[in-house]
Amino acid sequence: MEHGVITSLCHALDYIADEASGHVIFQDRSDADAIALWVASSYLLDHWLLFPKLLINSPERECGKSTALQVVEAFARNGRIASSITPSAVYRFIQSCTPTLLIDEADRSLRGNEELNGIINAGHTRRTATKMLSVKGEDGEWKPAELSLWCPQVIAGIGEFEDTLMSRSIVIGLRRKLAREHVSRMHIRYFEDHEFMRKFLIDWSESATPSTTALDLPPEAGNRMQDNWEPLFRVAAMAGDTWVMRALRAFDVIEVQRKPYKVASSGSELLADIREILKDEVAPEVASNVLLDKLLYHHDSDWMTANTGRPITGKWLAKTLRLYGVRPQRRAACNVYFLADLEEAFKRYLPFL
């Protein structure tokens, strides 16, 4: 494709995906496709009631995290990178220019920062993307004010992130480059050199109207996944059948094939291990102490240290399962759990695991 000449949305998505995969080693080519679709979706922010974050997740340093962030910045709607940002700066910055906010080194800035995490998480849906605060008026009186948190957000960092952020994100996987692998050097003028693409996407977005017809998303898609991926699939549909297929493959790679490796909440991980432990059980109930012992010695599990560094106990198990509607029943010799109650929890909370 000739540099600077974009003739259609399909060509634009091809170009962005090629640029991303040319500068960064992803876990799969579909990561670059997901980035391209997300970038184009950012220009249609006014059409979405919910917009997912783009989480660029690096397992270690020197995996191209910052480079991937610069690629996204070069193409996204009004992109602005911040290596460090305070909670108050986030909502004031969003209020001032509705940027695509790109936060680097997020593993540092978000860790332990409940206020900043809350602000980032609140920006997932248009309705909840609001900050309420008091401001001092010209008359010296304090008055309530409402500030918007609604903008596209890209989070880049190393290692694991909170479940709340993961569930609101399209998670892009990176890999460290091997000596035999080649990536293009990013020129210092990379952002400036791609003004033509941003201009094309602005012009395209001014007349683009995504379909509102029901989407036929993959059966593996739970409600949260469907919500997150809907903007990407609607943009893919506007680009044609080839990009619909690429979107479907990206969904399969990122949300289905990688799902077993995603960080699970302690509750859902517990349910998954119990389901594995009891898969051949035929009795209608299981003793609490028996289930506890099986969990503690279950292969590859962390239940020996999950209770603030100590082994889980029967009391810990009962308290955690109670959140999922599963309660122990008293027997003369011991407490038991009904398998029917556990099966109900599996159906509700582990539908695709």
Side-chain angles (χ1 to χ4, degrees):
M1 184 187 304
E2 184 180 349
H3 182 76
V5 179
I6 301 295
T7 59
S8 68
L9 175 61
C10 180
H11 289 165
L13 294 173
D14 289 343
Y15 185 92
I16 296 169
D18 288 345
E19 282 292 308
S21 60
H23 287 86
V24 182
I25 303 298
F26 294 102
Q27 290 187 19
D28 190 275
R29 167 67 194 218
S30 286
D31 287 295
D33 290 347
I35 285 176
L37 289 166
W38 188 93
V39 162
S41 300
S42 73
Y43 285 82
L44 299 178
L45 186 67
D46 291 342
H47 291 271
W48 315 128
L49 296 178
L50 177 151
F51 194 62
K53 289 123 188 18
L54 194 69
L55 178 56
I56 299 175
N57 192 213
S58 174
E60 298 285 350
R61 296 185 180 280
E62 299 181 8
C63 290
K65 167 181 60 67
S66 296
T67 301
L69 209 62
Q70 291 177 65
V71 171
V72 177
E73 181 200 28
F75 299 112
R77 172 186 175 274
N78 194 20
R80 297 289 190 275
I81 291 181
S83 295
S84 176
I85 192 165
T86 64
S88 60
V90 169
Y91 56 78
R92 287 186 170 88
F93 187 38
I94 293 172
Q95 191 77 13
S96 68
C97 62
T98 315
T100 291
L101 180 60
L102 302 98
I103 302 177
D104 201 0
E105 308 293 343
D107 48 304
R108 297 180 181 179
S109 58
L110 295 182
R111 184 180 295 126
N113 193 332
E114 293 185 8
E115 184 179 3
L116 184 55
N117 275 289
I119 290 172
I120 296 298
N121 289 334
H124 190 220
T125 66
R126 184 194 299 272
R127 187 175 60 82
T128 61
T130 301
K131 170 75 174 180
M132 303 293 293
L133 72 165
S134 295
V135 297
K136 201 169 188 178
E138 294 181 0
D139 57 2
E141 296 293 325
W142 289 94
K143 300 176 181 179
E146 181 176 320
L147 299 181
S148 174
L149 302 175
W150 181 240
C151 76
Q153 298 169 2
V154 188
I155 314 296
I158 298 171
E160 299 178 351
F161 287 87
E162 295 290 336
D163 299 336
T164 50
L165 177 59
M166 298 281 282
S167 68
R168 290 167 167 79
S169 303
I170 306 297
V171 183
I172 302 300
L174 305 181
R175 293 190 298 180
R176 183 173 290 174
K177 183 176 72 69
L178 296 174
R180 59 179 171 78
E181 293 177 315
H182 173 74
V183 293
S184 299
R185 175 179 173 271
M186 180 166 283
H187 193 274
I188 190 66
R189 288 187 52 83
Y190 190 81
F191 182 88
E192 289 77 10
D193 287 345
H194 287 96
E195 183 179 357
F196 74 92
M197 177 61 77
R198 298 191 297 275
K199 177 65 165 58
F200 170 84
L201 289 171
I202 289 171
D203 292 344
W204 163 76
S205 67
E206 288 176 351
S207 59
T209 304
S211 171
T212 57
T213 58
L215 286 171
D216 185 18
L217 293 179
E220 297 88 353
N223 290 340
R224 178 57 66 87
M225 286 187 210
Q226 291 186 32
D227 291 341
N228 284 341
W229 280 80
E230 179 172 344
L232 279 67
F233 275 107
R234 292 207 182 279
V235 167
M238 297 169 74
D241 291 344
T242 297
W243 267 97
V244 170
M245 296 304 297
R246 288 170 74 164
L248 287 168
R249 185 178 186 281
F251 176 89
D252 181 67
V253 168
I254 294 171
E255 299 292 354
V256 180
Q257 295 181 31
R258 289 183 196 159
K259 194 162 186 68
Y261 305 101
K262 287 186 178 179
V263 178
S265 70
S266 60
S268 62
E269 188 176 0
L270 176 66
L271 290 177
D273 279 356
I274 292 175
R275 184 172 64 178
E276 172 67 19
I277 288 168
L278 300 180
K279 64 181 179 181
D280 298 322
E281 185 63 54
V282 294
E285 58 190 45
V286 58
S288 174
N289 61 326
V290 171
L291 180 58
L292 179 62
D293 286 344
K294 288 180 179 292
L295 282 166
L296 289 172
Y297 296 100
H298 187 51
H299 62 86
D300 296 329
S301 74
D302 296 319
W303 305 118
M304 277 290 188
T305 57
N307 185 15
T308 62
R310 300 186 300 273
I312 63 172
T313 63
K315 184 177 181 180
W316 184 97
L317 181 61
K319 182 179 180 180
T320 304
L321 288 177
R322 192 179 299 121
L323 298 173
Y324 297 91
V326 179
R327 292 174 171 78
Q329 305 298 318
R330 288 188 177 278
R331 291 287 184 267
C334 64
N335 289 342
V336 301
Y337 291 101
F338 291 149
L339 263 65
D341 292 341
L342 289 165
E343 288 290 346
E344 177 73 12
F346 300 157
K347 291 176 183 176
R348 289 183 181 276
Y349 299 101
L350 303 176
F352 306 114
L353 291 179

